[in-house]
Amino acid sequence: MVRTPSGGAGNGTAASAGRLMSIGAVLGQLRDEFPEVTISKIRFLEAEGLVDPRRTPSGYRKFSEPDVARLAQVLRMQRDHYLPLKVIKEHLEAAGGDEPPAGSGTGPSAGTPAADPAAVPRESAEPGPPLRLRRAELLDATGAEEAELAQWESYGLVEADDEGRYDVGAVTVGALLRELGAFGLEPRHLRAVKAAADREAGLVEQVVAPLRLHRNPQTRAHAEATARRLADLSVRLHEALVHSALRSRHA
């Protein structure tokens, strides 16, 4: 996994950006977490305005560590939430490029134990504004029709906030709902799944709530890492139980 400080490129690289890297070195760092990334992909993201590396007098790109962190952030948002680059760019611009959105996966990877508090400074103690999608953006990102989205909402599978915007996770939920729908599973069949998820989220929150209230910023950051780890374990347990139940039915 790319282990770089959080942050964006801003206007090229800041004076305090530290060492600069060639595009080949950047590719080497990113490929640990994103094996499919290529130099052409990095150049494309630059052309789309998602990263702004410095240029040497001879025209060679030079990337700072914040540039690499920003590229990793963009790639995660594409991979984990299927977001269009336009939406990613709008959020990064709105956030000033300084903070990753909540839940964007900048912490420990899914299969990695939660970091101890001493290692947490890599995390942002005060997360930036979470990415919120407009209705049209959610429809565009999922490929759903208005009637489908309305049905998801009617069963509580997807919810808008008071401003009519959706959490970034709604993109993943919508994509999965459409895949399940291809097998004849409709939103009304999945209410129990949503109820179970809400209960599991409540259990996680019980564990991390005291940490979130702590005055130490590193402890609050550790709460977020712990919540992600517990959520991952809960999902893996759910998957194992479903597979076990299916095997027992056909034993």
Side-chain angles (χ1 to χ4, degrees):
M1 178 176 180
V2 177
R3 305 297 289 176
T4 53
S6 62
N11 297 317
T13 53
S16 60
R19 69 188 183 93
L20 298 177
M21 291 167 273
S22 68
I23 194 169
V26 172
L27 180 66
Q29 284 204 33
L30 292 173
R31 272 195 165 163
D32 285 343
E33 184 178 353
F34 310 100
E36 302 302 319
V37 73
T38 63
I39 285 179
S40 295
K41 174 73 171 182
I42 296 172
R43 288 173 176 161
F44 174 72
L45 293 176
E46 178 191 357
E48 292 294 309
L50 288 156
V51 67
D52 184 19
R54 291 176 65 176
R55 294 273 186 162
T56 66
S58 55
Y60 291 102
R61 297 172 178 82
K62 289 295 179 180
F63 295 81
S64 67
E65 290 185 349
D67 288 335
V68 181
R70 184 178 173 102
L71 283 168
Q73 180 182 342
V74 170
L75 292 169
R76 287 189 196 102
M77 293 169 78
Q78 278 193 304
R79 178 194 66 196
D80 298 341
H81 301 295
Y82 314 104
L83 291 175
L85 290 178
K86 177 183 176 183
V87 174
I88 296 173
K89 184 178 180 181
E90 286 177 356
H91 172 75
L92 293 177
E93 290 175 349
D98 296 326
E99 301 280 359
S104 64
T106 55
S109 61
T112 304
D116 60 69
V120 168
R122 291 182 182 275
E123 304 276 344
S124 169
E126 302 295 340
L131 177 55
R132 313 297 290 183
L133 303 179
R134 292 185 289 269
R135 193 176 188 85
E137 291 172 333
L138 179 57
L139 291 170
D140 180 58
T142 59
E145 300 292 336
E146 177 66 39
E148 286 181 278
L149 177 52
Q151 192 177 34
W152 299 343
E153 290 177 311
S154 70
Y155 288 100
L157 299 171
V158 171
E159 297 178 350
D161 62 18
D162 293 339
E163 297 180 354
R165 291 179 178 256
Y166 301 85
D167 177 82
V168 62
V171 179
T172 305
V173 171
L176 292 170
L177 288 172
R178 298 202 79 203
E179 285 195 52
L180 289 166
F183 292 91
L185 291 173
E186 300 176 8
R188 61 189 175 87
H189 300 134
L190 302 171
R191 286 178 295 182
V193 178
K194 176 62 164 63
D198 288 341
R199 287 194 297 270
E200 290 170 21
L203 289 174
V204 171
E205 190 58 32
Q206 286 180 31
V207 175
V208 301
L211 298 176
R212 293 190 197 276
L213 298 174
H214 204 281
R215 297 183 63 173
N216 188 323
Q218 291 188 13
T219 302
R220 294 199 300 273
H222 182 56
E224 300 306 318
T226 301
R228 286 192 293 272
R229 177 61 176 162
L230 288 173
D232 173 63
L233 290 171
S234 178
V235 169
R236 289 166 59 191
L237 174 61
H238 181 85
E239 179 183 15
L241 289 172
V242 170
H243 285 302
S244 178
L246 287 172
R247 285 193 298 269
S248 66
R249 291 178 183 224
H250 298 281

